[in-house]
Amino acid sequence: MKTSKKFGYSMMAAALFTGAGAFAQDIKIGYNADLSGSGVAELGISGRWAFEAAIEDVNKAGGILGRKVVGVIRDDLGTPPKSIQNMTELIDNEKVAAVVGPANSGNALAWLHIPQQKKIPVVVPIATGTEITTRYAKEAQNYLFRVSMVDREQTALLGAYAAKSTKTQKVAIIADSTGYGQGGTKDATDILALHGIKPVAVEKFGPKDTDITSQLSKIKAAGADTVIVYGLADGTAQVVRSMEKINYQPTTLGAWGNLSSLFPKMTGPALAPNLIMAASTTEDTSAKTKALGERIRKNFPTLTTFPAAAQAYDSVMLIAAAMKQANSTDGPKVAAALENLDSVPGVIKTYSKPFSKANHEGLGVQDFYLARWKGSEVTKYEDDITKSLQPSDLKK
């Protein structure tokens, strides 16, 4: 079968799925994410290989309830229609017991009703849209869980850093004009208000704009010494490049999507470190993260979006733990068990009661920290400000 090369990896054509040849007694877990359609695919690919690594580890430890676990992979091409189709096939045809995915928030929001109606637990390892886990929060059982960086939560960290880093109390916000960027603008504005700061400027840019000097000149004229940027990696890269054009170098903060290798490719190695980003983990965090990173690189040599990999790995481990605790693969029982898990060792952390009836977020702002590009790698970022941040500073 023909292979295609993208983002430095070799992936079998979409017709070949990991689940092929699974026996009836096997427990199937689906993975549905962008693996080839957009810049977000880099995150989806990172998650895919970690998803498979986690299943391999579960099987080495005896599987689940004495049964082998099989991953069923689907590429949603970064589009809602394909993602919806994939979810329907995974649940109705493949009979998966749970799903991990997607990478794109818009795709998740397009198909949330499907697993909710079919009573199939989903753990989202990458997409960050706040509504993903809250839309069905008032239902008798909410089947949507997440192990990723929620927009509001990571903005709380960026806002806390901005409030302490600014010497003039002049902070500005610039975001792309998409729903993602404008949602980030609202979150950043609200969180800065909790710190007693009103942005001196709020600007936006088109996600395909290459010259953002006009908007940045207004921000510079307003005296902002700290700028929060809300955009995907390619858009944020254009912001950083445009800052260089007008000789403007404020403290620049961005969301975790800038962990994509698109960012340093577009800015170049000299400008890439100018952005400080939120992250849930980095490869240099611990022996566990280092080992997973080395393992994923065997399939994905150009891995940069490591948090997506770590989050996908931990998502599988939480599903496996819930099935064991429930002594069942029945959807309602597994979802209820996810809400009552005890201690589950993961790569990012040991999850102690990570979910509850009211909260389906496995990670929170207290788990996040800052990172920046150093050459071709993302490393943890620390300075006097990060060391001084207290839990009370993380307002949300």
Side-chain angles (χ1 to χ4, degrees):
M1 182 170 286
K2 224 175 165 182
T3 60
S4 60
K5 297 257 186 194
K6 194 169 182 77
F7 301 112
Y9 78 108
S10 178
M11 187 172 66
M12 299 301 287
L16 181 61
F17 301 119
T18 307
F23 296 104
Q25 68 267 27
D26 293 340
I27 296 172
K28 292 183 179 181
I29 299 177
Y31 184 79
N32 182 27
D34 185 357
L35 301 176
S36 65
S38 71
V40 177
E42 190 168 355
L43 284 73
I45 296 162
S46 299
R48 176 256 174 97
W49 292 120
F51 169 83
E52 293 195 337
I55 288 177
E56 182 182 353
D57 288 349
V58 169
N59 285 329
K60 283 182 179 178
I64 298 174
L65 308 178
R67 296 158 65 185
K68 179 183 176 183
V69 182
V70 175
V72 187
I73 310 297
R74 291 289 187 273
D75 181 357
D76 71 15
L77 307 176
T79 65
K82 183 61 176 174
S83 204
I84 292 170
Q85 179 186 342
N86 289 351
M87 287 300 290
T88 301
E89 290 180 355
L90 286 169
I91 294 172
D92 291 346
N93 300 340
E94 294 290 347
K95 307 297 183 185
V96 298
V99 176
V100 174
N104 308 66
S105 293
N107 290 357
L109 294 171
W111 53 243
L112 292 184
H113 62 287
I114 298 174
Q116 183 67 25
Q117 291 172 0
K118 303 283 187 179
K119 300 181 179 180
I120 299 296
V122 174
V123 180
V124 178
I126 300 171
T128 59
T130 303
E131 189 187 353
I132 290 171
T133 60
T134 61
R135 181 183 291 178
Y136 297 109
K138 294 182 180 179
E139 297 287 327
Q141 179 62 65
N142 179 4
Y143 288 86
L144 285 304
F145 300 80
R146 175 162 41 198
V147 179
S148 187
M149 300 186 68
V150 188
D151 288 342
R152 180 84 177 193
E153 299 275 322
Q154 61 179 314
T155 306
L157 175 59
L158 298 177
Y161 187 90
K164 288 206 168 189
S165 68
T166 177
K167 295 182 173 65
T168 63
Q169 295 297 291
K170 292 185 176 182
V171 180
I173 301 168
I174 185 167
D176 71 37
S177 56
T178 68
Y180 169 74
Q182 294 310 294
T185 293
K186 182 182 184 304
D187 284 342
T189 301
D190 291 347
I191 285 167
L192 287 174
L194 297 176
H195 291 276
I197 296 174
K198 181 179 180 180
V200 294
V202 177
E203 296 287 336
K204 62 182 177 181
F205 60 92
K208 300 299 182 182
D209 289 352
T210 57
D211 186 350
I212 309 171
T213 54
S214 176
Q215 299 95 312
L216 289 170
S217 293
K218 295 176 184 177
I219 290 174
K220 183 178 181 182
D225 63 1
T226 303
V227 178
I228 297 175
V229 185
Y230 229 90
L232 298 178
D234 50 354
T236 304
Q238 298 293 3
V239 172
V240 171
R241 290 175 63 179
S242 294
M243 286 177 170
E244 177 76 2
K245 292 177 185 177
I246 62 172
N247 193 30
Y248 178 45
Q249 294 301 326
T251 298
T252 308
L253 307 172
W256 82 298
N258 296 293
L259 296 170
S260 166
S261 64
L262 278 175
F263 183 79
K265 285 176 183 175
M266 293 179 66
T267 62
L271 295 181
N274 290 353
L275 182 74
I276 301 170
M277 307 167 284
S280 63
T281 189
T282 54
E283 285 182 71
D284 60 356
T285 300
S286 68
K288 281 186 176 182
T289 55
K290 182 179 179 181
L292 181 62
E294 291 174 350
R295 190 172 172 189
I296 299 304
R297 278 202 173 79
K298 293 177 182 178
N299 293 307
F300 189 24
T302 58
L303 171 70
T304 56
T305 50
F306 178 76
Q311 290 161 194
Y313 184 96
D314 286 359
S315 296
V316 174
M317 290 303 175
L318 290 168
I319 289 170
M323 289 178 176
K324 292 175 183 177
Q325 184 167 307
N327 195 32
S328 174
T329 60
D330 177 67
K333 292 180 181 179
V334 174
L338 281 166
E339 293 175 344
N340 291 280
L341 285 175
D342 293 322
S343 181
V344 180
V347 170
I348 296 174
K349 66 175 184 176
T350 295
Y351 295 81
S352 179
K353 298 194 177 301
F355 306 116
S356 67
K357 197 72 175 174
N359 179 26
H360 280 203
E361 301 292 349
L363 297 176
V365 65
Q366 70 278 0
D367 299 308
F368 305 156
Y369 49 82
L370 297 173
R372 75 190 315 174
W373 283 95
K374 184 177 181 181
S376 61
E377 297 181 356
V378 174
T379 60
K380 188 174 182 178
Y381 176 76
E382 288 187 314
D383 61 9
D384 290 341
I385 296 172
T386 61
K387 293 174 183 176
S388 70
L389 288 175
Q390 301 297 317
S392 59
D393 295 320
L394 303 173
K395 301 174 182 179
K396 53 183 179 174

